[in-house]
Amino acid sequence: MKATDRDAFSDSDQAEYLHEKALTRHEELWHTRAQAVGHAPATYSLIGEHTDRFGGVVLMGLSHQRAAVAVSARDDQLIAVDATTPAGRLSGQVSWSALTEVARASESPHPGAPFGADAEQPGPRVRAGDSPADPGAELALEVSAVLWSMIHRQLASRELTGLSVTIASEVPEGVGLGSGAAVTTALAVGLAQLDPTFVDDPPTRTKIAEALSASSQLSGQHATLRARYFAALRGQAGKLAVIDYADNSVAMIEVPSSANYQTVLAYPTRTYDAAAALHVLHRQDDLIARAEQSFSVPSLRQLPDAAVRVAQLVAAVHEVLGEDQAPGLKDTRAWLGFWDRETRRAQQAARALRTQNWAEFLDVLNESQADITASYGLPGAGRDAPAAGLAKQLAATGVRSVRCAAAGLTQAVLAVVSSPILPAVGAAAGEHEQDYCTVALSPGYPGAGRAIPTATG
C-alpha cells in the first residue's frame, strides 16, 4: 500500500520538459519537424461540476500536472496520433473523409431536439469504426473532432485536413483531473498557432473553449465539463476560476495563502468502471438539451420554476409519447432539485472565499458531498461507494472537508487539509482497503502554445 506516489505526479512544473519530449518524439515518429506545440494543465473541481450542463456555477482549480501536444500538417488526409501518458502509450489514426461523413450525420436529430423528435435515438457521434473498443482509435477520433470543431469556428484553416499529432502527458487518467481535457486543450492552443492571424486574447480563448466543448459532444465524450476548458484557457496561476454560466463569466479568486490549507487528491490504484454513471450522465444531458429546446431557453437555470415546469413537461411526454421517451419523474425531480441546490452552494462557496471565510467554505463543500451521497442518485456515488468509506476514514484524521473528485466517474476524493495533518492523511489513504495514493496538488497555470520557427539555411 502506498501513501504517496511521486512517479505519476511531479512537484515541479514540467511544461518545458513535456514540450521537448513531444517535439523530439514527433520528429522521430513522423520524420518531420513539428509546426507548433501547445500545453495545458490538469484541472479539478472543488464544487459545482454537476451543474455544468444545467448552466450553474463551477469552481475549478488548475493543478501542476500538464499535457503537451506537438502538431504538423500532412497531405494524405489522415489524422494520425501517438500518445505517451502515465497509463502507457497509444497510437491510432482516422481518415478525414470518415470523420466528415459521421460529423455531417450528427447534424440530424440529436439531443437538443424537442421531445418526440427521434428521442430514443440520439444523433450519431464520432466512433472508432470497426474497432470501437480500440483506445488508440478513440483518441484519434477525439483529436479529429477538435480539428473539425476548430475549423468550423474559423479557428483553424479549412485546408488542414491531415495532421500528425504527438502527445506527452503526465496527467493520470480516471482520477478527476481532466486528463482528456488537458490533452485536447493543449492540442487546440497548438493548432491555433498555425494561423498567422491568431490573436491570443480572452475572447479568442473563449471561442476555443466553446469549440472544445462542441468537439466533446461530437466525439461522444459526455462526461467532459465545459468548465475544465474555460479554466484551462481563461484561468490564472495559483487562483480558482469561478465559471458562472448565467453570463458565461470567468472570475478569479485569490486563495489566501495564510490559511495554511492544501488541496490533496487521494486516488485508487485500481481502475474503476464508470459505465453506469456515464449512462446516467447521458440521460441527464439529453433531458437538459431537450427541455431547453422545448422551452426555448439557453439553459435551464434561466427557466423560472425549472424544477416544476420540466417535471410537468416530462409527465406530459410520458402520457402522450410513452414513458420510454423521457427519464422517470422521480429521477427528473431529484436531478433538478440537486442542480438548483448545488448552484446556490457554489455561489455561497465563492462568496466565502472572496471574504476569506474558510470555515464557511469548507462547510459548504461538506454539504455538497452529503447531498451527492444522499440525493443525487448517481451510480458509484452513494454511501456504499469506496470513496465514501475513504472520506469517513480521512475525516477521522482531522480532515476538515472531503469531497468526491468526480462523483460516479472515479472513486478519487479531494480533501482540504491543514499542513500539520498532511502525513496522517497519506497514511490513512495508504491503509484503506482499496489501496489509495495521495498527492498534494500544487498550483498550475493556464494553457499556452507556440509556433515552431521553420528551419533556415
Side-chain angles (χ1 to χ4, degrees), residues 23-77:
L23 291 172
T24 301
R25 183 67 179 159
H26 191 90
E27 193 161 352
E28 291 174 352
L29 281 170
W30 315 115
H31 308 295
T32 187
R33 184 181 175 88
Q35 295 173 281
V37 64
H39 62 85
T43 51
Y44 61 93
S45 172
L46 283 174
I47 190 170
E49 69 276 10
H50 300 288
T51 74
D52 186 89
R53 185 65 182 84
F54 174 72
V57 177
V58 189
L59 272 62
M60 297 291 298
L62 307 181
S63 187
H64 60 281
Q65 301 94 347
R66 303 189 77 79
V69 179
V71 297
S72 62
R74 52 192 297 159
D75 57 11
D76 58 0
Q77 293 201 329

Side-chain angles (χ1 to χ4, degrees), residues 200-383:
D200 192 355
D201 58 13
T204 303
R205 283 180 171 249
T206 297
K207 286 181 64 177
I208 293 174
E210 291 169 348
L212 287 168
S213 179
S215 75
S216 70
Q217 293 297 313
L218 176 63
S219 61
Q221 303 302 308
H222 296 282
T224 300
L225 303 177
R226 293 180 294 170
R228 291 196 190 276
Y229 303 127
F230 284 104
L233 288 163
R234 296 281 308 278
Q236 294 179 16
K239 296 183 180 181
L240 287 176
V242 180
I243 297 95
D244 190 336
Y245 291 113
D247 55 5
N248 288 321
S249 62
V250 181
M252 298 298 115
I253 295 182
E254 189 79 48
V255 178
S257 58
S258 60
N260 200 31
Y261 281 101
Q262 175 75 59
T263 302
V264 175
L265 177 73
Y267 62 98
T269 58
R270 304 175 190 174
T271 57
Y272 174 71
D273 185 359
L278 283 168
H279 176 70
V280 173
L281 292 172
H282 175 88
R283 293 174 63 215
Q284 291 177 349
D285 279 354
D286 194 48
L287 169 69
I288 290 172
R290 291 183 186 276
E292 287 171 347
Q293 181 69 20
S294 297
F295 287 108
S296 299
V297 292
S299 77
L300 289 188
R301 183 182 171 195
Q302 298 181 24
L303 177 68
D305 299 319
V308 174
R309 295 174 69 181
V310 174
Q312 290 173 341
L313 174 64
V314 167
V317 171
H318 287 174
E319 183 177 352
V320 176
L321 301 175
E323 293 188 359
D324 61 341
Q325 298 296 302
L329 273 175
K330 182 179 179 181
D331 285 343
T332 297
R333 292 187 177 115
W335 297 341
L336 288 162
F338 175 82
W339 293 330
D340 186 55
R341 294 190 300 273
E342 187 77 344
T343 296
R344 293 197 299 269
R345 280 191 291 259
Q347 292 172 318
Q348 182 182 354
R351 287 193 300 269
L353 281 179
R354 289 189 179 102
T355 59
Q356 300 188 17
N357 188 339
W358 270 82
E360 180 183 1
F361 171 70
L362 297 175
D363 285 342
V364 173
L365 296 190
N366 290 333
E367 290 172 15
S368 171
Q369 177 59 25
D371 204 359
I372 290 171
T373 302
S375 306
Y376 197 32
L378 199 60
R383 293 187 178 92

Side-chain angles (χ1 to χ4, degrees), residues 35-179:
Q35 295 173 281
V37 64
H39 62 85
T43 51
Y44 61 93
S45 172
L46 283 174
I47 190 170
E49 69 276 10
H50 300 288
T51 74
D52 186 89
R53 185 65 182 84
F54 174 72
V57 177
V58 189
L59 272 62
M60 297 291 298
L62 307 181
S63 187
H64 60 281
Q65 301 94 347
R66 303 189 77 79
V69 179
V71 297
S72 62
R74 52 192 297 159
D75 57 11
D76 58 0
Q77 293 201 329
L78 284 179
I79 293 89
V81 182
D82 184 271
T84 303
T85 73
R89 187 179 167 197
L90 288 175
S91 61
Q93 66 182 36
V94 63
S95 70
W96 182 252
S97 59
L99 172 69
T100 301
E101 181 180 344
V102 177
R104 286 176 177 168
S106 71
E107 297 172 1
S108 60
H110 58 87
F115 284 104
D118 197 20
E120 285 188 296
Q121 298 294 331
R125 292 179 175 82
V126 174
R127 287 291 182 263
D130 296 331
S131 304
D134 180 357
E138 292 289 342
L139 178 61
L141 287 163
E142 289 176 38
V143 166
S144 303
V146 172
L147 178 58
W148 174 274
S149 189
M150 294 276 286
I151 288 174
H152 284 76
R153 284 161 179 78
Q154 298 182 334
L155 294 166
S157 170
R158 289 187 176 273
E159 297 179 1
L160 196 62
T161 56
L163 206 63
S164 295
V165 179
T166 306
I167 298 166
S169 175
E170 64 174 5
V171 186
E173 299 174 6
V175 299
L177 290 179
S179 58

